[in-house]
Amino acid sequence: MTNVNPFYLGTFVIYLLIVLGIGVWGYTKTSDVMDFWAFGQDMGPWLATWSFVANFVSAVSVIGFIGAVYGEGYSLMTHTIFGLMLGIGALYFVVGRIRNLNLLTFPDIIANVTGFEVARPIAGTILLGNAWLYLIMQLVGASLLVTTITGVPYEYMVWVIGIVFIVYTVLGGLVSVAWTDLLQGVLMVGAVLLALVYMIFDIGSFTAVNQQLASFDPTYVDPTAGGTYTIIGIVATIVAFFGTIFTEQNYIVRIAATRDVRTAKLHLAASGVILAIFYSALVILGGATTVALNQSGLTVQTQDAAFPMLITDYVPSSVGVIIILAVMSAILSTTDTRLHSTGITTARDIYSYFRPSSSDDAQLRISRIATIFFGITATAASVNPPGTIIELYNFRAVLLTCAFLIPVYVGLYWTGLSGLALIASIIVGAILGVGTEFTGGLFGVPSTFIGLGGAVIVLLIGHVLLSDSEPMSGAPSDD
């Protein structure tokens, strides 16, 4: 605690108090479980847009992506970011069908597609695993940043940030989350653009950034990272991150929370434009960070520490505060969303399946209890995280895509498929994808392709063997 920076610490404390205040206000606007879960399904286009943007950008995007550029250059744009942007564009073309279903969660859609209500707790369990991993990523990123810039020990800061996240999410649900997202989304995009302008002028020009980046290592400006990524590896990464856009619980909840189909389409279109500009700026900022640290002789222990070091050891405090606001906005806005999704997944998709006659008040209570439970356990795990931010990010992308992309969206448009085959495809895809991700693939084939391939094979064989089983995909859910 001897190296505490009171200026940065004070900024951070004020920021936390503001979002806590919004959480308390959100509590006064939350009168029932639908308010808590889905904003009463009355979210307008601009609030929905900025909530989507803020939720989309996370610790991975700011600290992790800039760290990835520091470690391997611009190739991040070729695979991960391209896959994400492609996914948003594709989601636009199916969002009308999703919103017209008027279903609240992703497991609701799976139950509708398969015709079996038991698909809800199966899918919900997978989604809880994804959300928990995402919470750890966010808490690690936030705590690493704040520890670096304030001097407060990491193990203390993890718990401070975790508790604040839990409190304001539990209080107001999606009402609190959406309004804090509006504030944080605007701050995040504006601050990153301002930080980029400062770094470009500081180094000289955009061309100077690229020339100096190439002088350190020519592979940094090579879209395939000089062979670090094979073509099949790049394609697998694109597919993995493309699939996450269609399979995230929080995106489906936000679509359900919009007023109507027109609002759902508008918020996705506007979000896609904003995020494309934001990520282009972020990658260039990563290149400028790499140049600045190398020119100054500054080295980091891990690539995740590159951006925090830029704040503490390179830019002046006035610019550092702007960057801090951007990063904290990105982290809080995504973490509260994942916390919120753990509550709705537990109550809506698992608890209500086993207790179908439970009251709205009981489901609201379970949502809040689950939010606290997953928040506390993720905070405890973040004290000694199981991997880097980008490693955890890649892992959960494989999990979601392999489990859900093929069976859910094939079943959504190809009615008549066996519901049991679709459920089996989900389970096998998840197991194969996760299992081979642990081992780094199989026979040189990326885990994404193994999981998706297994899901397709099981789906086709299961459909042939179980084609007479009822219900079929597209049929009303009925166990």
Side-chain angles (χ1 to χ4, degrees), residues 18-369:
I18 290 173
V19 296
L20 278 172
I22 295 175
V24 173
W25 174 83
Y27 179 76
T28 67
K29 302 296 181 181
T30 304
S31 58
D32 57 36
V33 72
M34 284 303 294
D35 287 340
F36 188 88
W37 282 349
F39 205 86
Q41 292 192 298
D42 192 37
M43 195 180 294
W46 289 112
L47 183 59
T49 295
W50 283 105
S51 183
F52 186 96
V53 168
N55 160 57
F56 196 93
V57 180
S58 63
V60 178
S61 298
V62 181
I63 296 178
F65 282 7
I66 287 179
V69 173
Y70 179 87
E72 59 192 45
Y74 289 154
S75 62
L76 182 78
M77 182 68 84
T78 308
H79 43 82
T80 301
I81 293 178
F82 179 71
L84 292 171
M85 296 301 101
L86 191 65
I88 293 177
L91 183 59
Y92 175 84
F93 292 99
V94 300
V95 68
R97 184 176 179 87
I98 293 172
R99 183 63 183 86
N100 277 328
L101 290 173
N102 201 30
L103 298 172
L104 193 57
T105 67
F106 192 56
D108 281 341
I109 295 175
I110 296 173
N112 179 271
V113 168
T114 63
F116 284 91
E117 282 291 308
V118 73
R120 290 172 54 209
I122 293 173
T125 301
I126 295 173
L127 290 170
L128 283 176
N130 163 69
W132 193 73
L133 287 174
Y134 221 115
L135 286 174
I136 294 173
M137 290 188 297
Q138 297 301 102
L139 289 166
V140 169
S143 304
L144 177 64
L145 172 72
V146 178
T147 292
T148 303
I149 64 180
T150 65
V152 177
Y154 175 86
E155 59 271 21
Y156 298 151
M157 193 51 65
V158 166
W159 284 104
V160 169
I161 295 173
I163 290 170
V164 170
F165 285 153
I166 294 167
V167 169
Y168 84 80
T169 304
V170 165
L171 285 175
L174 193 57
V175 175
S176 296
V177 168
W179 282 107
T180 54
D181 283 352
L182 175 63
L183 167 67
Q184 292 165 162
V186 173
L187 278 174
M188 175 184 65
V189 173
V192 164
L193 292 176
L194 285 173
L196 175 61
V197 169
Y198 173 85
M199 293 300 295
I200 292 295
F201 276 100
D202 182 72
I203 293 173
S205 66
F206 172 66
T207 301
V209 170
N210 288 334
Q211 289 175 340
Q212 293 180 53
L213 192 62
S215 71
F216 299 141
D217 188 339
T219 65
Y220 282 0
V221 292
D222 181 344
T224 60
T228 301
Y229 288 90
T230 62
I231 295 299
I232 191 173
I234 291 174
V235 174
T237 304
I238 291 172
V239 172
F241 286 98
F242 171 89
T244 63
I245 305 303
F246 289 82
T247 54
E248 280 276 13
Q249 175 82 308
N250 47 287
Y251 299 151
I252 303 301
V253 170
R254 270 169 171 69
I255 291 171
T258 56
R259 290 173 183 163
D260 48 36
V261 171
R262 181 179 177 275
T263 302
K265 288 185 174 181
L266 180 60
H267 100 282
L268 270 181
S271 298
V273 172
I274 294 170
L275 288 167
I277 295 171
F278 177 84
Y279 278 115
S280 297
L282 195 67
V283 169
I284 298 169
L285 182 58
T289 298
T290 305
V291 170
L293 295 183
N294 277 277
Q295 282 184 336
S296 302
L298 298 171
T299 57
V300 296
Q301 296 292 329
T302 66
Q303 63 185 37
D304 286 344
F307 200 42
M309 178 169 284
L310 180 80
I311 300 172
T312 57
D313 293 2
Y314 187 84
V315 301
S317 296
S318 56
V319 178
V321 167
I322 294 174
I323 299 175
I324 290 167
L325 290 175
V327 180
M328 290 309 303
S329 295
I331 292 171
L332 273 99
S333 59
T334 307
T335 306
D336 57 26
T337 297
R338 264 59 184 193
L339 267 174
H340 173 258
S341 71
T342 62
I344 189 173
T345 300
T346 302
R348 168 80 178 185
D349 300 319
I350 298 176
Y351 177 78
S352 69
Y353 172 77
F354 295 103
R355 296 288 182 88
S357 60
S358 59
S359 66
D360 286 352
D361 287 343
Q363 292 189 44
L364 179 58
R365 183 173 63 254
I366 294 298
S367 289
R368 284 178 163 144
I369 291 172

Side-chain angles (χ1 to χ4, degrees), residues 396-414:
R396 43 75 55 183
V398 171
L399 170 64
L400 286 181
T401 299
C402 292
F404 297 130
L405 183 61
I406 295 297
V408 174
Y409 286 92
V410 169
L412 191 63
Y413 284 92
W414 181 9

